[in-house]
Coordinates of all heavy atoms in Angstrom, one line a residue:
Y438 N 19.2 17.1 -14.7 CA 18.7 17.3 -13.4 C 19.4 16.5 -12.4 O 19.9 15.4 -12.7 CB 17.2 17.0 -13.3 CG 16.4 17.6 -14.4 CD1 15.9 16.9 -15.5 CD2 16.0 19.0 -14.3 CE1 15.2 17.6 -16.5 CE2 15.3 19.6 -15.2 CZ 14.8 18.9 -16.3 OH 14.1 19.5 -17.3
G439 N 19.4 17.0 -11.2 CA 20.0 16.3 -10.1 C 19.6 16.8 -8.7 O 19.2 18.0 -8.6
A440 N 19.5 15.9 -7.7 CA 19.1 16.4 -6.4 C 19.5 15.3 -5.4 O 19.5 14.1 -5.7 CB 17.6 16.6 -6.3
A441 N 19.9 15.7 -4.2 CA 20.1 14.8 -3.1 C 18.7 14.4 -2.6 O 17.8 15.1 -2.7 CB 20.9 15.5 -2.0
Y442 N 18.6 13.1 -2.2 CA 17.3 12.6 -1.7 C 17.5 11.6 -0.6 O 18.6 11.1 -0.4 CB 16.5 12.0 -2.9 CG 17.1 10.7 -3.3 CD1 16.6 9.5 -2.8 CD2 18.1 10.7 -4.3 CE1 17.1 8.3 -3.2 CE2 18.7 9.5 -4.7 CZ 18.2 8.3 -4.2 OH 18.7 7.1 -4.6
S443 N 16.4 11.4 0.1 CA 16.4 10.2 1.0 C 15.0 9.5 0.8 O 14.0 10.2 0.6 CB 16.6 10.7 2.5 OG 15.5 11.5 2.9
A444 N 15.1 8.2 0.8 CA 13.9 7.4 0.6 C 13.8 6.3 1.6 O 14.8 5.6 1.8 CB 13.8 6.9 -0.8
K445 N 12.7 6.1 2.2 CA 12.5 5.0 3.2 C 11.0 4.7 3.4 O 10.2 5.7 3.7 CB 13.1 5.4 4.5 CG 13.1 4.2 5.5 CD 13.8 4.6 6.8 CE 13.8 3.4 7.7 NZ 14.5 3.6 9.0
D446 N 10.7 3.5 3.2 CA 9.3 3.0 3.5 C 8.2 3.8 2.8 O 7.2 4.2 3.4 CB 9.0 3.0 5.0 CG 10.0 2.1 5.8 OD1 10.4 1.1 5.2 OD2 10.3 2.4 6.9
G447 N 8.5 4.2 1.5 CA 7.5 4.9 0.8 C 7.5 6.4 0.9 O 6.8 7.2 0.3
S448 N 8.4 6.9 1.8 CA 8.5 8.4 2.0 C 9.7 8.8 1.2 O 10.8 8.2 1.2 CB 8.7 8.6 3.5 OG 8.9 10.0 3.7
L449 N 9.6 10.0 0.6 CA 10.7 10.5 -0.2 C 10.9 12.0 0.0 O 9.9 12.8 0.1 CB 10.3 10.3 -1.7 CG 11.3 10.8 -2.8 CD1 12.7 10.1 -2.6 CD2 10.8 10.6 -4.2
S450 N 12.1 12.3 0.3 CA 12.5 13.7 0.5 C 13.5 14.1 -0.5 O 14.6 13.5 -0.6 CB 13.0 13.9 1.9 OG 13.5 15.2 2.1
L451 N 13.2 15.2 -1.3 CA 14.2 15.7 -2.3 C 14.7 17.0 -1.8 O 14.0 17.9 -1.3 CB 13.5 15.9 -3.6 CG 12.9 14.7 -4.3 CD1 12.0 15.1 -5.5 CD2 14.0 13.8 -4.8
E452 N 16.0 17.2 -2.0 CA 16.7 18.5 -1.7 C 16.4 19.4 -2.9 O 15.8 18.9 -3.9 CB 18.2 18.3 -1.5 CG 18.5 17.4 -0.3 CD 18.1 18.0 1.0 OE1 18.2 19.2 1.2 OE2 17.7 17.3 1.9
A453 N 17.0 20.6 -2.9 CA 16.8 21.5 -4.1 C 17.3 20.8 -5.4 O 18.4 20.3 -5.4 CB 17.6 22.8 -3.8
V454 N 16.4 20.8 -6.4 CA 16.8 20.2 -7.7 C 17.6 21.1 -8.5 O 17.3 22.3 -8.6 CB 15.5 19.8 -8.4 CG1 15.8 19.2 -9.8 CG2 14.6 18.9 -7.6
A455 N 18.7 20.6 -9.0 CA 19.6 21.4 -9.9 C 19.3 21.1 -11.3 O 19.0 20.0 -11.7 CB 21.0 21.0 -9.6
S456 N 19.3 22.2 -12.1 CA 19.0 22.0 -13.6 C 19.9 23.0 -14.3 O 20.3 24.0 -13.7 CB 17.5 22.2 -13.9 OG 17.1 23.5 -13.6
T457 N 20.0 22.8 -15.6 CA 20.8 23.8 -16.4 C 19.9 25.0 -16.6 O 18.7 25.0 -16.5 CB 21.2 23.2 -17.8 OG1 20.0 23.0 -18.5 CG2 22.0 22.0 -17.6
Q458 N 20.5 26.1 -16.9 CA 19.7 27.3 -17.2 C 19.6 27.6 -18.7 O 19.4 28.7 -19.1 CB 20.4 28.5 -16.5 CG 20.4 28.4 -15.0 CD 18.9 28.4 -14.5 OE1 18.1 29.3 -14.8 NE2 18.6 27.5 -13.6
M459 N 19.8 26.6 -19.5 CA 19.8 26.7 -21.0 C 18.3 26.9 -21.4 O 17.4 26.3 -20.9 CB 20.4 25.5 -21.7 CG 21.8 25.4 -21.4 SD 22.6 24.0 -22.3 CE 22.4 24.7 -24.0
Y460 N 18.1 27.8 -22.4 CA 16.8 28.1 -22.9 C 16.5 27.1 -24.1 O 17.4 27.0 -25.0 CB 16.7 29.5 -23.3 CG 15.4 29.9 -23.9 CD1 14.3 30.1 -23.0 CD2 15.1 30.0 -25.2 CE1 13.0 30.4 -23.5 CE2 13.9 30.3 -25.8 CZ 12.8 30.5 -24.9 OH 11.6 30.8 -25.4
C461 N 15.4 26.6 -24.2 CA 15.0 25.7 -25.3 C 14.0 26.5 -26.2 O 13.0 27.0 -25.7 CB 14.3 24.4 -24.8 SG 15.4 23.4 -23.8
V462 N 14.3 26.6 -27.4 CA 13.5 27.4 -28.3 C 12.2 26.7 -28.8 O 11.3 27.3 -29.3 CB 14.3 27.9 -29.6 CG1 15.4 28.9 -29.1 CG2 14.9 26.8 -30.3
E463 N 12.3 25.4 -28.8 CA 11.1 24.6 -29.2 C 9.9 24.9 -28.4 O 10.0 24.9 -27.1 CB 11.4 23.1 -29.2 CG 10.4 22.2 -29.8 CD 10.7 20.8 -29.8 OE1 12.0 20.5 -29.9 OE2 9.8 19.9 -29.8
E464 N 8.8 25.2 -29.0 CA 7.6 25.6 -28.3 C 7.1 24.6 -27.2 O 7.1 23.4 -27.5 CB 6.4 25.8 -29.3 CG 5.2 26.4 -28.7 CD 4.1 26.8 -29.7 OE1 4.5 27.1 -30.8 OE2 3.0 26.8 -29.3
G465 N 6.8 25.0 -26.1 CA 6.3 24.2 -25.0 C 7.3 23.5 -24.1 O 7.0 23.0 -23.0
V466 N 8.6 23.5 -24.5 CA 9.6 22.8 -23.7 C 9.8 23.4 -22.4 O 9.9 22.8 -21.4 CB 10.9 22.6 -24.5 CG1 12.0 22.0 -23.7 CG2 10.7 21.7 -25.8
M467 N 9.9 24.7 -22.4 CA 10.2 25.5 -21.1 C 9.0 25.3 -20.2 O 9.2 25.2 -19.0 CB 10.5 26.9 -21.4 CG 11.8 27.1 -22.2 SD 13.3 26.4 -21.5 CE 13.5 27.3 -20.1
D468 N 7.8 25.4 -20.7 CA 6.6 25.2 -19.9 C 6.6 23.8 -19.3 O 6.2 23.6 -18.1 CB 5.3 25.4 -20.7 CG 5.1 26.9 -21.0 OD1 5.7 27.8 -20.3 OD2 4.5 27.2 -22.0
A469 N 6.9 22.8 -20.1 CA 6.9 21.4 -19.6 C 7.9 21.2 -18.5 O 7.7 20.6 -17.5 CB 7.2 20.4 -20.7
E470 N 9.1 21.9 -18.7 CA 10.2 21.8 -17.7 C 9.7 22.4 -16.4 O 9.9 21.9 -15.3 CB 11.4 22.4 -18.2 CG 12.6 22.4 -17.1 CD 13.8 23.0 -17.5 OE1 13.8 24.2 -18.0 OE2 14.9 22.4 -17.5
A471 N 9.1 23.6 -16.5 CA 8.6 24.3 -15.3 C 7.5 23.4 -14.5 O 7.6 23.4 -13.3 CB 8.0 25.6 -15.7
Q472 N 6.7 22.8 -15.3 CA 5.7 21.9 -14.6 C 6.3 20.7 -14.0 O 6.0 20.3 -12.9 CB 4.6 21.4 -15.7 CG 3.7 22.5 -16.1 CD 2.8 22.0 -17.2 OE1 2.8 20.9 -17.7 NE2 1.9 22.9 -17.7
F473 N 7.3 20.1 -14.6 CA 8.1 19.0 -14.1 C 8.8 19.4 -12.8 O 8.6 18.7 -11.8 CB 9.1 18.5 -15.1 CG 9.9 17.3 -14.7 CD1 9.4 16.1 -14.6 CD2 11.2 17.6 -14.3 CE1 10.2 15.0 -14.2 CE2 12.0 16.5 -13.9 CZ 11.5 15.2 -13.8
L474 N 9.5 20.5 -12.8 CA 10.2 20.9 -11.6 C 9.2 21.3 -10.5 O 9.5 21.0 -9.3 CB 11.1 22.1 -11.9 CG 12.3 21.7 -12.9 CD1 13.1 23.0 -13.3 CD2 13.2 20.7 -12.2
G475 N 8.1 21.9 -10.8 CA 7.1 22.2 -9.8 C 6.5 21.0 -9.2 O 6.3 21.0 -8.0
A476 N 6.3 20.0 -10.0 CA 5.8 18.7 -9.4 C 6.8 18.1 -8.5 O 6.5 17.5 -7.5 CB 5.3 17.8 -10.5
L477 N 8.1 18.1 -8.9 CA 9.1 17.5 -8.1 C 9.2 18.2 -6.7 O 9.4 17.5 -5.7 CB 10.5 17.6 -8.8 CG 10.9 16.6 -9.8 CD1 12.3 16.9 -10.4 CD2 10.8 15.2 -9.2
G478 N 8.9 19.5 -6.7 CA 8.9 20.2 -5.4 C 7.8 19.8 -4.5 O 7.9 20.0 -3.3
K479 N 6.8 19.1 -5.0 CA 5.7 18.7 -4.2 C 5.7 17.2 -3.7 O 4.9 16.7 -3.0 CB 4.4 18.9 -4.9 CG 4.1 20.3 -5.2 CD 2.8 20.5 -6.1 CE 2.6 21.9 -6.5 NZ 1.5 22.1 -7.4
V480 N 6.7 16.5 -4.3 CA 6.9 15.0 -4.0 C 7.2 14.8 -2.5 O 8.1 15.4 -2.0 CB 7.9 14.4 -4.9 CG1 8.2 13.0 -4.5 CG2 7.5 14.4 -6.4
K481 N 6.4 13.9 -1.9 CA 6.6 13.5 -0.5 C 6.7 12.0 -0.4 O 7.0 11.5 0.7 CB 5.5 14.0 0.4 CG 5.4 15.5 0.4 CD 6.6 16.1 1.0 CE 6.5 17.6 1.0 NZ 7.7 18.3 1.3
G482 N 6.3 11.2 -1.4 CA 6.3 9.8 -1.3 C 6.5 9.1 -2.7 O 6.5 9.7 -3.7
Y483 N 6.6 7.8 -2.6 CA 6.8 7.0 -3.8 C 6.3 5.6 -3.6 O 6.1 5.1 -2.5 CB 8.3 6.9 -4.2 CG 9.1 6.0 -3.3 CD1 9.3 4.7 -3.6 CD2 9.6 6.5 -2.1 CE1 10.1 3.9 -2.8 CE2 10.3 5.7 -1.2 CZ 10.5 4.4 -1.6 OH 11.2 3.6 -0.7
S484 N 6.0 4.9 -4.7 CA 5.7 3.5 -4.7 C 6.2 2.9 -6.0 O 6.3 3.6 -7.0 CB 4.1 3.3 -4.6 OG 3.5 3.8 -5.7
T485 N 6.5 1.6 -5.9 CA 7.0 0.9 -7.1 C 6.2 -0.4 -7.2 O 5.9 -1.1 -6.2 CB 8.5 0.6 -7.0 OG1 8.7 -0.2 -5.8 CG2 9.3 1.8 -6.9
A486 N 5.9 -0.8 -8.4 CA 5.2 -2.1 -8.7 C 5.2 -2.3 -10.2 O 5.0 -1.3 -11.0 CB 3.8 -2.1 -8.2
N487 N 5.5 -3.5 -10.6 CA 5.4 -3.9 -12.0 C 6.2 -2.9 -12.9 O 5.6 -2.4 -13.9 CB 3.9 -4.0 -12.5 CG 3.2 -5.0 -11.6 OD1 3.7 -6.0 -11.3 ND2 1.9 -4.7 -11.3
D488 N 7.4 -2.7 -12.7 CA 8.3 -1.8 -13.5 C 7.8 -0.4 -13.5 O 8.0 0.3 -14.5 CB 8.5 -2.4 -14.9 CG 9.3 -3.7 -14.9 OD1 10.1 -3.8 -14.0 OD2 9.1 -4.5 -15.8
R489 N 7.0 0.1 -12.5 CA 6.5 1.4 -12.5 C 6.9 2.1 -11.2 O 6.8 1.5 -10.1 CB 5.0 1.4 -12.6 CG 4.3 2.7 -12.5 CD 2.8 2.6 -12.6 NE 2.4 3.6 -13.7 CZ 2.0 3.3 -14.9 NH1 1.7 2.0 -15.2 NH2 1.7 4.2 -15.7
L490 N 7.3 3.4 -11.3 CA 7.6 4.2 -10.2 C 6.5 5.3 -10.2 O 6.3 6.0 -11.2 CB 9.0 4.8 -10.3 CG 9.3 6.0 -9.4 CD1 9.4 5.5 -7.9 CD2 10.7 6.6 -9.8
E491 N 5.9 5.5 -9.1 CA 4.9 6.6 -8.9 C 5.4 7.5 -7.8 O 5.7 7.1 -6.7 CB 3.5 6.1 -8.6 CG 2.9 5.4 -9.8 CD 1.5 4.9 -9.5 OE1 1.1 4.7 -8.3 OE2 0.8 4.7 -10.5
L492 N 5.4 8.8 -8.1 CA 5.8 9.9 -7.1 C 4.5 10.5 -6.7 O 3.7 11.0 -7.5 CB 6.8 10.9 -7.7 CG 8.1 10.3 -8.3 CD1 9.0 11.4 -8.9 CD2 8.8 9.5 -7.2
T493 N 4.4 10.7 -5.4 CA 3.1 11.2 -4.8 C 3.3 12.4 -3.9 O 4.4 12.6 -3.4 CB 2.4 10.1 -4.0 OG1 3.3 9.6 -2.9 CG2 2.0 8.9 -4.9
D494 N 2.2 13.1 -3.7 CA 2.3 14.3 -2.8 C 1.9 13.8 -1.4 O 1.7 12.6 -1.1 CB 1.4 15.4 -3.3 CG -0.1 15.1 -3.3 OD1 -0.5 14.1 -2.7 OD2 -0.9 15.9 -3.8
E495 N 1.7 14.8 -0.5 CA 1.4 14.4 0.9 C 0.1 13.6 1.1 O 0.0 12.8 2.0 CB 1.3 15.7 1.8 CG 2.6 16.3 2.2 CD 2.3 17.6 3.0 OE1 2.1 18.7 2.5 OE2 2.3 17.4 4.3
S496 N -0.8 13.9 0.2 CA -2.1 13.2 0.4 C -2.1 11.8 -0.3 O -3.1 11.1 -0.3 CB -3.3 14.1 -0.2 OG -3.1 14.1 -1.6
G497 N -1.0 11.5 -1.0 CA -1.0 10.2 -1.8 C -1.4 10.4 -3.2 O -1.4 9.4 -4.0
K498 N -1.7 11.6 -3.7 CA -2.1 11.8 -5.1 C -0.8 11.6 -5.9 O 0.2 12.1 -5.7 CB -2.6 13.2 -5.2 CG -2.9 13.6 -6.7 CD -3.3 15.0 -6.8 CE -3.5 15.4 -8.3 NZ -3.7 16.9 -8.4
V499 N -1.0 10.8 -7.0 CA 0.1 10.6 -7.9 C 0.4 11.9 -8.7 O -0.5 12.4 -9.4 CB -0.2 9.4 -8.9 CG1 0.9 9.2 -9.9 CG2 -0.4 8.1 -8.1
L500 N 1.6 12.3 -8.6 CA 2.1 13.5 -9.4 C 2.7 13.1 -10.7 O 2.6 13.8 -11.7 CB 3.0 14.3 -8.5 CG 2.5 14.9 -7.2 CD1 3.6 15.5 -6.4 CD2 1.4 15.9 -7.5
M501 N 3.5 12.0 -10.7 CA 4.2 11.6 -11.8 C 4.3 10.1 -11.8 O 4.4 9.5 -10.7 CB 5.6 12.2 -11.9 CG 5.7 13.6 -12.1 SD 7.4 14.2 -12.2 CE 7.7 14.7 -10.5
S502 N 4.3 9.5 -13.0 CA 4.5 8.0 -13.1 C 5.4 7.7 -14.2 O 5.4 8.3 -15.3 CB 3.1 7.5 -13.4 OG 3.1 6.1 -13.5
F503 N 6.3 6.8 -13.9 CA 7.4 6.4 -14.8 C 7.4 4.9 -15.0 O 7.2 4.2 -14.0 CB 8.8 6.8 -14.3 CG 8.9 8.3 -14.0 CD1 8.6 8.8 -12.8 CD2 9.3 9.2 -15.0 CE1 8.7 10.1 -12.5 CE2 9.4 10.5 -14.8 CZ 9.1 11.0 -13.5
T504 N 7.5 4.4 -16.2 CA 7.5 3.0 -16.5 C 8.8 2.6 -17.1 O 9.3 3.2 -18.1 CB 6.3 2.6 -17.5 OG1 5.1 3.1 -16.9 CG2 6.3 1.2 -17.7
K505 N 9.4 1.5 -16.6 CA 10.7 1.0 -17.2 C 10.4 0.5 -18.6 O 9.4 -0.2 -18.8 CB 11.2 -0.1 -16.3 CG 12.5 -0.7 -16.7 CD 12.9 -1.8 -15.8 CE 14.2 -2.5 -16.3 NZ 14.6 -3.6 -15.4
Q506 N 11.3 0.8 -19.5 CA 11.2 0.3 -20.8 C 12.3 -0.5 -21.2 O 13.4 -0.4 -20.8 CB 11.1 1.5 -21.8 CG 9.8 2.3 -21.6 CD 9.6 3.4 -22.6 OE1 10.4 3.5 -23.5 NE2 8.6 4.1 -22.5

């Protein structure tokens, strides 16, 4: 995946996300990818704390959370 973005003061703007068009035969993978890309399209903000990145929508609802390992 890849996308141009701008981030400032908790606000995040993503350009069109690029991904491969390869099909995955393992059950559920394509659905998970569609959900992931759909959530990315709704991201409007972010926050970081304690090795965690949270991506949020316009209302501040957490759409995705990532933890540094």
Side-chain angles (χ1 to χ4, degrees):
Y438 306 104
Y442 71 94
S443 62
K445 185 175 181 180
D446 300 327
S448 179
L449 179 62
S450 174
L451 295 170
E452 300 293 324
V454 177
S456 64
T457 65
Q458 295 298 311
M459 295 186 68
Y460 180 79
C461 297
V462 294
E463 188 176 330
E464 188 174 333
V466 173
M467 297 304 294
D468 290 335
E470 180 182 52
Q472 290 177 357
F473 178 77
L474 293 173
L477 277 180
K479 297 176 184 175
V480 170
K481 299 295 181 194
Y483 71 96
S484 64
T485 59
N487 302 321
D488 292 332
R489 176 179 233 111
L490 167 66
E491 292 182 335
L492 302 180
T493 58
D494 66 10
E495 281 184 273
S496 71
K498 176 184 173 189
V499 175
L500 300 172
M501 291 184 267
S502 181
F503 303 93
T504 303
K505 181 180 176 181
Q506 296 186 1

